[in-house]
Amino acid sequence: MANRLILNETSYHGKGAIQHIVHEVKSRSFTKALIVTDKDLVRYQVVAKVTNLLDEAGLPYEIFDEVKANPAVDVIKKGVERFKASGADYMIAIGGGSPIDSAKGIGIIINNPEFGDVLSLEGVAPTHQKCVPIIAVPTTAGTAAEVTINYVITDEEKKRKFVCVDVHDVPAVAVVDPDMMSSMPKGLTAATGMDALTHAIEGYITKAAWELTDALHLKAIEIISRSLRGAVENDPAGREGMALGQYVAGMGFSNVGLGVVHSMAHPLSAYYDTPHGIANAVLLPYVMEFNKEYTGEKYREIARAMGVKGVDEMTQEEYRNAAIQAVRQLSTDVGIPPKLSQIGVKEEDLPALSIDALNDVCTGGNPRDCTAEEILEVYKIAF
Ligand SMILES: NC(=O)c1ccc[n+]([C@@H]2O[C@H](COP(=O)([O-])OP(=O)(O)OC[C@H]3O[C@@H](n4cnc5c(N)ncnc54)[C@H](O)[C@@H]3O)[C@@H](O)[C@H]2O)c1
Ligand SMILES: [Fe+2]
């Protein structure tokens, strides 16, 4: 079987990367940007870091700042109207996964108007046209939405999040600058960083994983586990590492899929607005435990990448437990609570959450096939 790899056309990495935006806009002959972002990022002057450069270069833009975390269908619809009214011919998405995902949805609908209801984009939508060109500038180090072919929308009416997978939505340019992330508070750094670790681990053990994505995911696990504690303390090396590590994870998982940590996390955000990274972080060690018999020697490499010593001398049981323990320790060190009951999940909802998780698009990628009853069991243990 042949494997497929889709990435950005161009990406920039490291401190100062945003300086390249002006050149990219000019060389692509773009004329006017719709900046897709959220109000907090405008308020904290994070957006200004980019608009100052556009202003200096005399490049026109308008700002659409109505994105909210876990963006809903109506935000996409509003963005589409705003794009049409603006006369823009490209977007600059500035933000975490929510603004970047919103820009993808907006850009897809502009060029594929038959999907204007948004809901019909769920899963693998048969779009024919590439989305409006996006320059994606992440301000969190987690989702890697700047390089993935996925976006996640919330259907508020049905209290569910749905994943859209579409090769036409990948941003043309990613600008991954740790300076855009330096204003993140500790809790957000921890949560989004654990999302990135979850991508790397689920992408490494997912069914469609192959040699090239294994290399990316292992490298991502290594960089993230050495950088996240520092990033939470706002140490520049930690920020730089997380900016890169989360992107490398995205290069991998976007092309092979994830697993039931994400399936189980999505309903928590839909029900309780739980931040995506927190939901993943709490669930990750429990799902690793559930999956461990179906992962061959991979947990040995996870443990090694996370800095565990002596993994070659360990039995299978020992290295599997060591990998799970290393994840637990990192999660604890960055302040993530260990139980779902501590993040607002209600016990009586667990059966309904299990059904939604089973139906999530990420479930098919899990190394162990599972039933709703098994997912419920994992939720109960994690509760
Ligand atoms: N496209 C993908 O492949 C993919 C992968 C995983 C998750 N997601 C989705 O992405 C969304 C989550 O994205 P996220 O975790 O990056 O957070 P987010 O974009 O939802 O932002 C969360 C909050 O953090 C604030 N924030 C962001 N950057 C900041 C900064 N530099 N300084 C201060 N505050 C900042 C925002 O203003 C917002 O209030 C979810 O909807 C999730 O399902 C998408
Ligand atoms: Fe994620």
Side-chain angles (χ1 to χ4, degrees):
M1 195 196 80
N3 292 299
R4 183 186 73 182
L5 199 68
I6 297 175
L7 301 168
N8 307 115
E9 288 168 19
T10 310
S11 63
Y12 295 93
H13 302 272
K15 196 174 165 60
I18 57 169
Q19 303 291 334
H20 293 273
I21 293 174
V22 168
H23 163 75
E24 281 296 329
V25 173
K26 289 183 177 168
S27 71
R28 289 166 187 268
S29 306
F30 295 152
T31 59
K32 181 176 179 184
L34 183 69
I35 294 181
V36 178
T37 188
D38 63 49
K39 290 198 165 48
D40 284 346
L41 292 171
V42 174
R43 189 175 324 131
Y44 302 147
Q45 302 282 313
V46 181
V47 173
K49 292 182 185 179
V50 173
T51 53
N52 287 344
L53 297 170
L54 301 178
D55 290 338
E56 277 167 29
L59 295 172
Y61 60 86
E62 274 183 35
I63 298 179
F64 172 69
D65 64 2
E66 291 184 50
V67 176
K68 300 210 173 71
N70 303 313
V73 169
D74 69 309
V75 167
I76 308 301
K77 288 185 175 168
K78 269 191 204 163
V80 168
E81 291 317 311
R82 189 59 194 280
F83 185 91
K84 285 183 190 159
S86 69
D89 59 351
Y90 75 107
M91 284 183 272
I92 304 181
I94 304 176
S98 297
I100 297 176
D101 282 0
S102 300
K104 290 176 174 176
I106 295 164
I108 283 288
I109 292 171
I110 290 291
N111 284 352
N112 299 270
E114 64 276 26
F115 293 96
D117 67 318
V118 185
L119 295 171
S120 59
L121 289 165
E122 178 167 4
V124 184
T127 60
H128 293 291
Q129 304 298 331
K130 273 192 180 184
C131 82
V132 172
I134 299 171
I135 297 180
V137 187
T139 64
T140 61
T143 71
E146 70 277 12
V147 63
T148 70
I149 58 169
N150 319 312
Y151 53 106
V152 190
I153 307 292
T154 301
D155 177 358
E156 282 182 320
E157 227 167 80
K158 295 215 171 105
K159 270 214 296 201
R160 57 189 285 272
K161 280 186 99 168
F162 60 93
V163 180
C164 311
V165 184
D166 187 347
V167 298
H168 291 135
D169 69 35
V170 66
V173 182
V175 179
V176 190
D177 188 331
D179 280 351
M180 294 298 288
M181 301 154 183
S182 57
S183 54
M184 269 197 287
K186 276 186 187 248
L188 183 64
T189 305
T192 52
M194 288 302 293
D195 182 28
L197 182 70
T198 309
H199 296 152
I201 291 178
E202 291 211 283
Y204 181 52
I205 62 173
T206 197
K207 278 186 183 143
W210 57 293
E211 229 172 337
L212 196 152
T213 58
D214 285 354
L216 293 168
H217 289 128
L218 280 178
K219 190 69 194 170
I221 295 168
E222 179 200 314
I223 300 173
I224 293 164
S225 39
R226 93 165 115 80
S227 308
L228 184 55
R229 293 175 181 87
V232 169
E233 298 307 321
N234 208 19
D235 154 57
R239 290 282 187 210
E240 187 95 32
M242 284 310 300
L244 181 62
Q246 60 90 32
Y247 182 91
V248 176
M251 293 169 77
F253 86 83
S254 170
N255 288 290
V256 288
L258 293 166
V260 294
V261 182
H262 272 76
S263 307
M264 294 173 67
H266 288 147
L268 303 189
S269 298
Y271 271 62
Y272 317 109
D273 234 356
T274 311
H276 175 69
I278 301 267
N280 278 326
V282 176
L283 289 163
L284 178 59
Y286 299 102
V287 176
M288 284 180 77
E289 186 72 42
F290 174 75
N291 280 334
K292 68 180 181 186
E293 303 295 336
Y294 296 76
T295 53
E297 298 216 1
K298 285 196 157 177
Y299 281 29
R300 190 203 300 273
E301 300 314 316
I302 294 174
R304 193 194 312 277
M306 295 195 73
V308 176
K309 298 279 178 256
V311 292
D312 291 314
E313 285 72 52
M314 290 182 183
T315 64
Q316 191 166 64
E317 184 65 15
E318 284 169 345
Y319 68 63
R320 284 178 173 168
N321 290 337
I324 297 167
Q325 187 45 38
V327 168
R328 275 219 167 88
Q329 191 61 53
L330 178 55
S331 200
T332 304
D333 290 351
V334 299
I336 307 275
K339 293 282 178 190
L340 293 177
S341 52
Q342 295 166 288
I343 60 167
V345 175
K346 298 199 183 86
E347 197 167 12
E348 62 268 28
D349 293 336
L350 297 182
L353 294 167
S354 307
I355 305 286
D356 288 356
L358 182 73
N359 293 328
D360 189 275
V361 72
C362 296
T363 303
N366 199 61
R368 175 174 176 181
D369 289 330
C370 44
T371 61
E373 290 70 35
E374 286 167 330
I375 291 176
L376 178 59
E377 203 45 45
V378 179
Y379 270 136
K380 282 183 179 163
I381 297 168
F383 187 80

